[in-house]
Amino acid sequence: AAELVGRQALDFYANPSDRAQLLEQLTQNGFLQNYEVQAKKVDGSLVWVSASLRLLVFDGEAALLSVFSEITERKQSEARLRLMERAIEASSNGIVLTDASQPDNPIIYVNPAFEAMTGYAAAEIVGHNCRFLQGADRAQTNLQILRSAVRARKECHVTLRNYRKDGTPFWNELHVSPVFDPNGRVTHFVGIQTDISDRKLMEDQLVHAALHDALTQLPNRVLFMNRLNQAINRSQHDPTHRFAMLFLDLDRFKVVNDSLGHIVGDQLLVAIAQRLQTCLRPENIIARLGGDEFTILIDSIQQESDATRVAEHIQQALRVPFNLNGSEIFTTASIGIAFSTPDYTRPEQVLRDADAALYQAKERGRACQAVFDSQMYEQAVALLQLETDLRRAIERQELRVFYQPIVSLTAGKVVGFEALVRWQHPQRGLISPDQFIPVAEETGLIIDIGRWVLQESCQQLCQWQRQFPSDSPLTMSVNLSVKQFSQPDLAKYVAQVLQKTGIDPACLKLEITESGIMHNDQSSAELLSHLQQLQVQLCIDDFGTGYSSLSRLHQFPINTLKIDRAFIRSMTLGEDTEMVKTIITLAQNLGMDVVAEGIESLPQLVQLRQLGCEFGQGYLFAKPLNAQAAEALLESDPSW
């Protein structure tokens, strides 16, 4: 108090404008009530005070009575409240306050973002429970989570599907928190909601892309295998529940891509997907596994005919041509069918067996279907083992070259051999080429096998030519597969073998089927020309069974035609004699030699000689022989 005596009371106010205003109001009114102003403390710090001032007459003189109440804490609280209110008003999140002390927890406040998000004005919804946002969609799982949290007066975070005032849905990420009074009672709930519709749409698109084929929009392998796994689980828990899987592969789809282009090929796949869907009930699922392969799950079948009828319906639907970009396209499909069994525990097993059935369907021809049985599985396992063993056969030196004599029908003497590959399996013994050559073709191993046979047979020919010299040296015929014939470095490799073995190129005869030559006649002509430049002989094998154009035959540098054994066999029955005669005449007119394959009887030999056929081979002369037996045959110098 001693420090204050003699001071001016208004000097304690921090702001000069406040002092001026106080003096003005006091002069006019003689008093001032609850004026809020900042004052200075003795240490120079500022505080908020509520001042009540009055002019008095004291002992005959004017005096000023000042009453102060410090309100710093209240002013700070008000400032914080204004700041928070501004933050709530400006927030892009929808914020709602509800009164937990009243029945049904009504809304008492919403911010502008909530109004913009929902389309409702605050005046329309204050006093109502928030459930109106769900409309009739009140069976959502997360709604029950929210209700439980509110009843338990706990915080929760859920995602809900809400509806705007105009009825359009939106996804709402909602965070609800209780507000407690000093006694720990919940008085309000604060709800903060975010419109995540765009994010949800993107998530749905990503999930859809992960589970669906981008071209046809059908389910992909991942989704199909998931549904197939569900079907397996149901059948394991309920033995009466049965299902079937169809594995569908388009026949000759590659022809469409190669001839009309991949764009038309894609359009065809989309059109096929749409047509397949019309063949199925809504509860069935169709998927595209990739390429031209589709899978179908037929769930809850009563009998196997339920699935086979679907397959037949699909075959019929695909018989109707597709019209794409003005082109009428016909296509068919091969279908493999696998039915549920108690043995299935994984979807991969069902897919494997349906694929095995599909393989059998393709073996039967186009537009066929086959039902899986255990024998197919055993064959598939055996085929896989055969492929595995074949991959090691070359390095383990299990392959053998056998030689079948080619005989001059006029002289009755051996003039050469055809090299034929055999496989001496360590456990299974001698395996016929009919068993392993198709596998070699499919896997591409035929390239390495063919090169090995060419190298081996040319070395053997070189040895025999030195051992059995003649004015007309022995020849060696070596088969080229279609895949070998399509190799761009074939001519280069043949030249390397000729150089390495040192044989006369004219003694090497390369055999290719007429189908292989005609498959791509332009590139075939170029390759045959390169081989001709090496001076090797070129033969068409199994002539008469392919689809060669006689008008183009003379354009290829062919030296020999080999008549297929089927014509020789039927010749003795009085059939195909004219065909054989025509082939011989055609070859001779074109300056080519003729070799008859499959001569097995003396009457066949007599007929062929009468028809002027120059060469022949077959069991009448000898079966394919190993190198030692063929050498013994040459030493015996037989004559027929």
Side-chain angles (χ1 to χ4, degrees), residues 48 65 69 146 236 303 323 335 350 361 382 428 446 502 574 581 593 614:
W48 279 96
L65 173 64
S69 298
L146 174 61
Q236 288 180 332
Q303 49 194 1
N323 195 309
I335 303 175
V350 189
R428 300 172 58 180
I446 194 68
K581 181 179 179 180
D593 299 329
E614 300 153 293

Side-chain angles (χ1 to χ4, degrees), residues 134 137-144 159-162 171:
Q134 284 83 51
D137 191 5
R138 299 190 181 174
Q140 302 177 53
T141 303
N142 281 350
L143 269 178
Q144 186 57 44
T159 299
L160 299 174
R161 187 170 48 252
N162 286 351
W171 284 97

Side-chain angles (χ1 to χ4, degrees), residues 545-564:
T545 62
Y547 54 90
S548 62
S549 169
L550 296 180
S551 63
R552 290 190 53 78
L553 184 61
H554 71 281
Q555 299 179 17
F556 296 112
I558 304 300
N559 305 101
T560 303
L561 296 183
K562 298 189 76 172
I563 305 174
D564 187 76

Side-chain angles (χ1 to χ4, degrees), residues 37 42 98 266 283 301 328 341 371 491 549 551 566 615:
V37 65
V42 69
T98 65
D266 287 348
E283 62 268 25
I301 63 171
E328 195 175 49
T341 71
V371 176
S549 169
S551 63
F615 303 98

Side-chain angles (χ1 to χ4, degrees), residues 13 32 34 87-88 91 106 130 135 153 160 169 195 200 203 211 268 330 332 371 390 440 445 488 498 527 530 621:
Y13 301 126
L32 191 64
N34 297 328
I88 292 173
S91 175
C130 291
R153 299 302 201 244
L160 299 174
D195 186 343
K200 193 70 175 176
E203 289 174 355
L211 298 176
L268 178 60
F330 290 85
T332 56
V371 176
L390 184 59
L445 292 172
L498 291 173
L527 178 56
H530 291 322
F621 309 116

